[in-house]
Amino acid sequence: MKIENLKTPTILLNIEALENNIKKYQKMCDDNKKELWPMIKTHKSKKLMEMQIKAGATGALCGTLDEAEMCCDLGIKIMYAYPVASKENIERVIELTKKCDFIIRLDNYDAAKLINDVALRENVTVNYTIIVDSGLHRFGLPVEKVVEFADRLKGFKGLKFVGISSHPGHVYGATNSNEIHKYVLDECGTLDKAKELLEKAGYKLEYITTGSTPTVEESVKNKNINVFHPGNYVFLDSIQLSIKKAEIKDCALTVYATVISHPSEDLYICDAGAKCLGLDQGAHGNSSIVGYGTVKGHPELTIDSLSEEVGKIHVHGKTDIKVGDKIEIIPNHSCSTANLCSYYTVVKDNEVIDSIPVDVRGNSFKRI
């Protein structure tokens, strides 16, 4: 089937762009002798994770326990990005520890104690890294408190310290590519210092892990960090375009829509709204994003308002679009769009060639 014959709205996945992105970032890590454990909250797809493993990825960073459970039989290291504290999720962490090479991240004593108590009862040892705050100020400890925290957890026999982790997510506050370097300095400087302090205190670090798509190209050269976790790189999006970490041709995930109305001279309506494109206009303070997506081939168009099912498109200057035309939109944040669909329609050379499930969208595993 030709792309133009698809029903709209549809989430398209350009397989050539996807494969090129996977190869490019894997090569960055391979060339610098680093492991790539992609953050899979971007795509939430077992098939896409298998493609990343085939290219050389040796682990996965998961944003939900559903994602971790999905990856459990893939024979790779699995890291969960956040602490857990509920009885139900601690039980899931214990089961994951029994079934696969699993690592959790911790940044507080109370969650650590809760996990330790269950681990002792179940006769397992849960591997963990300490989350170090490199500037996002979300999860993580200030670097000067890392040794104190590690010392507090020494007595927990159900836990095993294996290293440190961070996420320089504040890089998404950058409004241009020139600003990225200062975030790399935060990321690498924080982890370098944490390693120095911990080793001085007698700790051995098996893993020093971090990653974001905008910073990895520079931070991958750091001599101490050995595992990287970019996620968005597989798809890329308008946020990455805004900081020049992608070109239009690199953006693998798009929303295919039809122009369905022309209420006034400078206004068109398309049949893709917030339930396809999301309402993200830039994570963590990015002010460089204009509108709700980039319309490929039409720089004169701005998607400046979304209802649930439709988008309002304003024209700046002249345009040749008309009612009935189909347009391809690069979302601001591809991770959000991926979580809003149940499958990707895979395309190559203007032909539909496959369909790939989004296996764990919205924590989609059924639980009783």
Side-chain angles (χ1 to χ4, degrees), residues 26-291:
Q26 185 65 55
K27 186 175 187 301
M28 281 185 204
C29 290
D30 291 347
D31 287 351
N32 289 278
K33 296 180 171 55
K34 311 295 186 181
E35 291 190 60
L36 177 60
W37 299 4
M39 169 49 111
I40 66 165
K41 73 175 181 63
T42 296
H43 57 70
K44 292 178 169 285
S45 166
K46 191 169 187 178
K47 186 168 183 177
L48 296 191
M49 185 67 237
E50 289 170 340
M51 291 175 66
Q52 291 171 306
I53 294 168
K54 185 177 181 181
T58 52
L61 178 65
C62 301
T64 68
L65 290 175
D66 277 336
E67 294 168 14
E69 290 160 349
M70 178 187 76
C71 293
C72 202
D73 63 350
L74 293 178
I76 56 173
K77 296 181 186 296
I78 298 170
M79 177 179 279
Y80 180 54
Y82 316 114
V84 296
S86 70
K87 174 180 177 292
E88 295 77 16
N89 282 344
I90 292 171
E91 289 173 352
R92 295 170 74 185
V93 164
I94 299 302
E95 288 305 306
L96 282 161
T97 300
K98 292 176 180 178
K99 293 176 181 177
C100 57
D101 193 345
F102 181 77
I103 304 168
I104 195 168
R105 291 177 172 184
L106 297 173
D107 69 350
N108 70 94
Y109 179 88
D110 293 335
K113 185 178 186 307
L114 289 169
I115 297 166
N116 177 71
D117 290 347
V118 180
L120 289 175
R121 189 174 70 235
E122 294 293 323
N123 196 30
V124 300
T125 303
V126 179
N127 294 322
Y128 75 94
T129 61
I130 295 174
I131 310 171
V132 187
D133 180 12
S134 60
L136 180 56
H137 307 320
R138 185 177 61 183
F139 291 99
L141 296 161
V143 66
E144 63 272 11
K145 293 188 176 181
V146 171
V147 172
E148 176 188 349
F149 181 66
D151 287 345
R152 288 193 75 193
L153 270 54
K154 264 186 177 179
F156 288 162
K157 302 305 180 185
L159 300 178
K160 180 184 177 183
F161 172 73
V162 295
I164 54 176
S165 298
S166 192
H167 172 54
H170 59 315
V171 68
Y172 286 109
T175 57
N176 61 70
S177 59
N178 294 328
E179 295 178 1
I180 293 173
H181 178 65
K182 66 183 181 183
Y183 298 101
V184 173
L185 294 178
D186 286 347
E187 176 185 23
C188 295
T190 299
L191 289 170
D192 288 347
K193 185 63 176 178
K195 174 181 183 289
E196 177 189 344
L197 292 173
L198 284 161
E199 288 185 340
K200 187 176 179 180
Y203 289 94
K204 179 182 177 182
L205 286 75
E206 184 177 356
Y207 301 113
I208 300 175
T209 90
T210 185
S212 70
T213 294
T215 62
V216 68
E217 188 172 6
E218 184 177 351
S219 59
V220 75
K221 298 176 176 65
N222 179 275
K223 65 180 182 180
N224 291 320
I225 301 165
N226 56 8
V227 178
F228 283 86
H229 306 295
N232 185 266
Y233 78 95
V234 291
F235 293 153
L236 303 170
D237 50 31
S238 290
I239 292 174
Q240 305 295 346
L241 290 174
S242 77
I243 54 177
K244 293 184 169 51
K245 284 298 174 181
E247 298 179 18
I248 295 284
K249 65 179 177 58
D250 304 319
C251 295
L253 190 79
T254 57
V255 176
Y256 199 49
T258 302
V259 179
I260 58 174
S261 183
H262 182 26
S264 61
E265 184 177 354
D266 65 346
L267 176 64
Y268 289 82
I269 310 292
C270 71
D271 61 358
K275 287 183 176 179
C276 291
L277 292 165
L279 292 169
D280 199 330
Q281 287 193 288
H284 310 309
N286 190 317
S287 60
S288 64
I289 301 298
V290 178

Side-chain angles (χ1 to χ4, degrees), residues 237-238 241 248 292-296 301 303 328-332:
D237 50 31
S238 290
L241 290 174
I248 295 284
Y292 293 94
T294 302
V295 184
K296 289 178 66 173
L301 303 181
I303 304 170
E328 206 172 334
I329 305 164
I330 299 169
N332 285 344

